[in-house]
Amino acid sequence: MDKEKVIEVRNLAASFGDTVVLSDVSFSAYKGEVTIILGSSGSGKSTLLKHILGLYETEKGEIRIFGEDALGLDEDQQLHMYMRMGVFYQNGALLNSMTVGENVALPLKQHTSLPDDLVDDIVNIKLGLVNLEYAINKFPSELSGGMLKRAALARAIALDPPILFFDEPGAGLDPISLESLDRLIIDLKEQLGMSIVMVTHEVPSILRIANRIIYLDKGSVVFEGTLKEALKCDVESVRQFFSLLDDVDKAKQA
Ligand SMILES: Nc1ncnc2c1ncn2[C@@H]1O[C@H](COP(=O)(O)OP(=O)(O)O)[C@@H](O)[C@H]1O
Ligand SMILES: [Mg+2]
C-alpha cells in the first residue's frame, strides 16, 4: 500500500522582489514520518516552510496538505487547515509576560471555546508530555534553554496538530538537551502518530530522528529519499554534509 502523503509540494517558486529564492521545489512528506529539510544557510528552508504554512502568498506551484489544495482555500477553510498544523519556531517565542501554563493555554483559548477547567486539564497533559508539569507557574525568564524549548513544544501541540513543523529547534541547545528534545519528537511520532517536518543542521539529531531527507540547493531539491539513501547518496552537497560523520570516525581512530 502506498504511504499517505501529508504534504506534497510541486514546482513551487518563491521570490522576494527580484531575488529568486526557490525556483522549482517538489517533494512529499509522509504520515507518521520525520522529514528533515537540509540546505546551506540562505538556501530558502525557512521560506519554504513559511509557504507551506500559508504565511506567504504563493504565486507559482502547488501545495497539497492532507491531500487538499492548500492554495485554493477560502478563509474559513484556511483557518481550519492551519489549526491542524503546529509550529515550533527557531527561538521558542513564548510570551514573557505569561506563565508557562498560560502560554500553553493561549492557542486553546484563541481557537476553541472549551471551558476553563478543560483547558487546564489539557495544559497539564501537554506539559506532562514534555516533562514540565512542575514549571506550570513559572515565567519564561525563569527557565533554562532546554526547558524553554520543551515549553514551546507543549504550546505547539496544544491543539493536537497531526503535522508539526520545526525550524531549527536545536539552535543554542547543548547536546544533552538536544537529545532529550529528540526523544520527545520520537515520542510524538510514535505515540501520537504525528507527522513532523523539520529544518535542522544537527547531524546527531538527524541520525536519531529522520525518516526522510530533502536537500535544497540553488532553489530546488537536489536529493529526496530515506535517511539510509541520503547516507549513501553521491550528490555532492549531500555527500559533503554527511561527510562530517567521517570526521568523527577519523578523530576517534586518531
Ligand atoms: N522576508 C524577507 N525579505 C527579503 N528577503 C528574504 C526574506 N526572508 C528571507 N529572505 C532571503 O531569502 C533567502 C532565503 O532565506 P531563508 O529562507 O531564511 O533561508 P534559510 O532558512 O535556508 O537559511 C536569503 O537570501 C534571505 O536573505
Ligand atoms: Mg532558516
Side-chain angles (χ1 to χ4, degrees):
M1 205 181 75
D2 277 356
K3 290 187 291 181
E4 189 179 328
K5 284 178 186 170
V6 286
I7 292 175
E8 186 175 8
V9 173
R10 288 292 153 236
N11 309 114
L12 178 72
S15 330
F16 293 104
D18 291 337
T19 313
V20 178
V21 177
L22 305 175
S23 51
D24 185 7
V25 169
S26 301
F27 74 93
S28 301
Y30 296 90
K31 192 175 159 130
E33 290 195 348
V34 175
T35 301
I36 304 279
I37 300 176
L38 290 175
S40 54
S41 178
S43 58
K45 304 177 296 297
S46 297
T47 303
L48 173 59
L49 284 194
K50 285 177 184 160
H51 276 274
I52 295 171
L53 287 164
L55 299 174
Y56 289 146
E57 197 80 34
T58 302
E59 281 159 17
K60 198 160 160 271
E62 238 182 281
I63 300 176
R64 304 186 74 80
I65 302 172
F66 307 114
E68 273 183 82
D69 174 11
L71 304 179
L73 302 177
D74 66 30
E75 218 167 289
D76 275 358
Q77 292 167 322
Q78 235 181 18
L79 186 66
H80 180 73
M81 172 167 291
Y82 294 118
M83 274 175 61
R84 296 161 68 199
M85 300 160 72
V87 191
F88 177 103
Y89 287 103
Q90 207 149 2
N91 33 26
L94 295 181
L95 297 176
N96 288 317
S97 59
M98 291 186 176
T99 65
V100 167
E102 289 164 347
N103 265 289
V104 177
L106 199 59
L108 294 157
K109 298 212 159 150
Q110 280 177 336
H111 296 293
T112 72
S113 44
L114 297 171
D116 285 351
D117 53 346
L118 194 51
V119 168
D120 290 345
D121 287 346
I122 296 173
V123 168
N124 274 303
I125 291 170
K126 302 301 173 184
L127 285 174
L129 277 170
V130 301
N131 305 315
L132 216 57
E133 299 101 318
Y134 63 95
I136 188 165
N137 293 317
K138 288 194 187 295
F139 285 89
S141 60
E142 300 173 278
L143 306 188
S144 70
M147 290 166 76
L148 279 174
K149 305 257 179 180
R150 286 187 280 141
L153 182 54
R155 191 180 58 181
I157 59 173
L159 295 167
D160 290 321
I163 308 186
L164 194 50
F165 294 85
F166 293 83
D167 196 345
E168 303 197 26
L173 277 193
D174 62 87
I176 308 288
S177 304
L178 188 62
E179 188 180 6
S180 83
L181 188 65
D182 287 345
R183 212 163 301 143
L184 286 173
I185 288 164
I186 293 169
D187 284 350
L188 293 177
K189 181 182 90 163
E190 289 182 352
Q191 294 174 20
L192 304 179
M194 281 186 186
S195 310
I196 290 156
V197 177
M198 182 187 292
V199 173
T200 180
H201 302 288
E202 311 280 351
V203 176
S205 272
I206 294 168
L207 297 179
R208 282 192 288 263
I209 65 176
N211 296 108
R212 196 171 179 76
I213 304 281
I214 310 296
Y215 201 105
L216 275 187
D217 193 19
K218 300 191 181 74
S220 63
V221 173
V222 294
F223 173 83
E224 172 176 18
T226 63
L227 173 64
K228 228 175 171 177
E229 288 162 352
L231 292 170
K232 288 190 290 199
C233 114
D234 53 13
V235 175
E236 184 54 20
S237 42
V238 181
R239 209 186 52 70
Q240 249 177 27
F241 180 81
F242 284 109
S243 72
L244 293 169
L245 292 170
D246 301 337
D247 294 344
V248 174
D249 284 342
K250 271 184 213 142
K252 273 187 191 157
Q253 280 158 20

